[in-house]
Amino acid sequence: MLDLHGHPLDSPFPTDVAPARFSVGHQKEITQFAVANGLTLRQTAQRLAVGNKHRVLVGSTQTIADDLEHWLRTEACDGITLMAPFLAQGYAEFAGHVVPELQRRGLFRSAYDGSTLREHLGLPRPPNRWR
């Protein structure tokens, strides 16, 4: 993980960041790309993610929840698929910050109706063909 905590999103991409726990070569390429193009941290994240053709949300818990709420309430989507920029920690941060805010707004369930996917989706249990 490339630790960019403490660097404002709209500041120039830093060149003095400690080596990442992933590919050092990849980190070098990202840094060179950002510096050569005069990009901020936010712009770098957006440029790198846009190539994957996905919507990119960068910001605070409130701004991300605001954006998702707008899409959900205007029926621009029927749900959320999360693609965190970095594995487990990205999901944990979303679950720990954004999900509670969406729950407070009534946009994300806080409990499930059953204990199986079938029950969550309200589907009947098929008869046991072996009885």
Side-chain angles (χ1 to χ4, degrees):
M1 174 180 89
L2 187 58
D3 186 2
L4 297 170
H5 285 83
H7 295 279
L9 284 174
D10 296 312
S11 67
F13 196 91
T15 57
D16 60 346
V17 178
R21 293 190 307 194
F22 66 98
S23 169
V24 175
H26 191 66
Q27 177 181 349
K28 182 179 176 183
E29 291 295 321
I30 291 171
T31 302
Q32 288 175 344
F33 170 78
V35 171
N37 290 286
L39 301 177
T40 65
L41 283 174
R42 182 186 314 269
Q43 291 167 329
T44 303
Q46 290 171 336
R47 294 261 180 105
L48 293 173
V50 169
N52 292 328
K53 309 262 190 299
H54 298 288
R55 245 178 119 245
V56 178
L57 299 179
V58 177
S60 69
T61 297
Q62 297 300 319
T63 60
I64 291 172
D66 289 345
D67 190 275
L68 293 174
E69 179 175 14
H70 174 75
W71 274 62
L72 289 163
R73 294 211 188 274
T74 60
E75 298 180 350
C77 67
D78 352 328
I80 300 165
T81 300
L82 181 63
M83 295 176 61
F86 43 90
L87 304 176
Q89 185 177 354
Y91 294 113
E93 288 180 2
F94 186 85
H97 298 284
V98 179
V99 168
E101 179 60 22
L102 293 174
Q103 288 171 330
R104 188 185 68 71
R105 298 177 187 201
L107 296 168
F108 199 98
R109 72 173 78 197
S110 53
Y112 287 92
D113 297 328
S115 60
T116 66
L117 178 60
R118 182 180 304 283
E119 290 170 343
H120 298 327
L121 298 175
L123 300 172
R125 185 179 195 104
N128 185 338
R129 63 182 180 174
W130 304 108
R131 287 190 181 182

